[in-house]
Amino acid sequence: MKKLLVIAIVFISGTAMAQSSFGIKGGLNYGATGDYENYSQVADDVTTIENGKEKTGYHLGVFGKFEVVGIFIQPELVYTRLNTEYNTFDYKIDKIDAPLLVGLNVLGPLNIKAGPSFQYILNNDFENSALKVSKVDNEITLGYQLGAGLNLGRLGLDLRYEGAFKENNAFGEMASDNNFKIDSRPSQWILSLSYNLK
């Protein structure tokens, strides 16, 4: 009973000391989706495999931050446009990212952070191509983000890497009994500028 009382007091006092804030963020991302495969529906034989080439995209969103004694939790909700170049077309994804990061203030304004990142694709679009996506493996996928940031008053600067735990293929049909699939889960670098509203 005494231990429970001590834990409750520590939790309540920690919550009371917690600093909460929220803000807006935006910036650039540089990366690519995974392999594009063209294969025969009849023979079940892969005829083409292409690696995506990195291109620059952008992101805009909001974040919250809850900090206790130098350790913080930072949930975010971010709209992201990701661009990837293939040999004969460009592939564009509009998606909602929801990272949930745990961070640590390590030295002055410097912090490090990492955590899971959920992704929901709003739109798969191909430029200079008649390709269209008919279905995807999973509407919501899980990846990860890790990186470092600088807090300069109300301004913040972040550099992160986002990776995937597994592929999330988008499928479509082509002419002549051919199908295609493309891995829609990106690997990318994310550079963000944030402004703390509170």
Side-chain angles (χ1 to χ4, degrees), residues 106-154:
V106 290
L107 183 63
L110 179 66
N111 64 69
I112 55 174
K113 61 195 80 170
S117 178
F118 297 90
Q119 169 184 280
Y120 176 72
I121 294 179
L122 299 170
N123 186 40
N124 286 287
D125 192 25
F126 295 89
E127 280 195 351
N128 306 317
S129 174
L131 297 178
K132 288 189 177 179
V133 170
S134 58
K135 68 171 185 173
V136 294
D137 280 335
N138 300 292
E139 290 188 353
I140 298 175
T141 58
L142 178 65
Y144 63 89
Q145 290 186 6
L146 53 93
L150 283 173
N151 293 324
L152 306 169
R154 287 182 176 265

Side-chain angles (χ1 to χ4, degrees), residues 119-192:
Q119 169 184 280
Y120 176 72
I121 294 179
L122 299 170
N123 186 40
N124 286 287
D125 192 25
F126 295 89
E127 280 195 351
N128 306 317
S129 174
L131 297 178
K132 288 189 177 179
V133 170
S134 58
K135 68 171 185 173
V136 294
D137 280 335
N138 300 292
E139 290 188 353
I140 298 175
T141 58
L142 178 65
Y144 63 89
Q145 290 186 6
L146 53 93
L150 283 173
N151 293 324
L152 306 169
R154 287 182 176 265
L155 291 177
L157 186 65
D158 253 14
L159 179 62
R160 299 181 202 164
Y161 176 76
E162 180 181 75
F165 290 117
K166 63 178 185 177
E167 292 182 356
N168 186 41
N169 288 313
F171 298 90
E173 296 180 0
M174 303 171 65
S176 305
D177 295 321
N178 277 6
N179 288 355
F180 74 86
K181 69 178 180 179
I182 190 166
D183 179 15
S184 63
R185 199 62 165 97
S187 298
Q188 61 177 341
W189 288 96
I190 304 166
L191 180 64
S192 302

Side-chain angles (χ1 to χ4, degrees), residues 35-38 46-51 86-87:
D35 290 345
Y36 163 77
E37 294 183 17
N38 180 355
V46 175
T47 57
T48 305
I49 299 178
E50 291 182 30
N51 294 318
Y86 293 88
N87 288 341

